[in-house]
Amino acid sequence: MGVSGCGKSTIARALHERLGWEFAEGDEYHPRANVEKMASGRPLMDEDRWPWLRTLADWTRERDERGESTVLSCSSLKRSYRDLLRNGGAGTYFVHMHGDKGILLERMESREHFMPPTLLESQLDTLELLEPDERGVLVDVALPVERAVRVVLAHLQ
């Protein structure tokens, strides 16, 4: 979880490769209207996000019911969003990629993505850090991928 440019997809893919768990990129589940809205520089509102989040929770739940573990890359910016996603499985664990705004902007400016760098500020304004009672770990975005993955794996055990 985390704002755009934090490396959540990169870390999620690396965890998928390491663990062999099924992986879903949350961005691929956004309705076309959400993608178009963000691409035009307008931030999503809660009413835009709820259907998308329900779809992701359903994806996780289907696999959880079959006894399959998953890795999901999703912004999960608010506690209420994470509460909904936790409905996908009792073992839900959040990896919150967090760090320097300059690093985030640099990454966003150097990639091809529908989310323009101009929306980073709105995501940072929306972001609610993991709370002490939420299962998860905070990981610095400045860490190299392999080190970040080792941090996550150490916390999953």
Side-chain angles (χ1 to χ4, degrees):
M1 67 165 274
V3 299
S4 190
C6 71
K8 60 187 168 288
S9 298
T10 300
I11 299 303
R13 281 188 186 94
L15 287 167
H16 158 70
E17 290 172 12
R18 179 74 66 88
L19 297 169
W21 297 352
E22 190 169 352
F23 168 65
E25 168 57 65
D27 284 346
E28 294 174 6
Y29 290 80
H30 270 298
R32 181 181 194 86
N34 282 8
V35 173
E36 289 173 357
K37 187 172 187 178
M38 289 182 281
S40 73
R42 294 177 297 147
L44 296 181
M45 303 279 105
D46 284 355
E47 58 270 13
D48 301 313
R49 289 186 176 106
W50 290 123
W52 170 65
L53 291 164
R54 280 191 286 277
T55 298
L56 296 175
D58 289 345
W59 179 88
T60 304
R61 184 180 312 98
E62 290 169 8
R63 282 139 189 90
D64 185 64
E65 289 172 353
R66 295 192 304 249
E68 299 170 8
S69 296
T70 58
V71 177
L72 170 66
S73 175
C74 172
S75 53
S76 310
L77 297 176
K78 289 185 178 181
R79 169 75 185 243
S80 58
Y81 303 164
R82 296 188 297 273
D83 288 344
L84 190 151
L85 289 169
R86 269 188 283 279
N87 290 329
T92 300
Y93 188 88
F94 291 93
V95 175
H96 182 168
M97 301 301 299
H98 187 66
D100 180 75
K101 182 180 173 181
I103 292 173
L104 300 170
L105 266 176
E106 184 179 302
R107 288 178 178 176
M108 290 179 78
E109 290 169 347
S110 68
R111 68 181 186 168
E112 293 278 331
H113 195 274
F114 61 80
M115 174 74 81
T118 55
L119 287 182
L120 177 59
E121 200 64 45
S122 71
Q123 285 204 320
L124 291 169
D125 289 345
T126 302
L127 178 64
E128 296 172 0
L129 297 177
L130 280 176
E131 295 180 25
D133 66 324
E134 291 184 276
R135 291 186 67 227
V137 61
L138 189 68
V139 178
D140 188 339
V141 300
L143 290 176
V145 172
E146 185 53 38
R147 182 142 181 236
V149 168
R150 285 196 313 267
V151 167
V152 173
L153 292 174
H155 280 86
L156 284 175
Q157 297 177 0

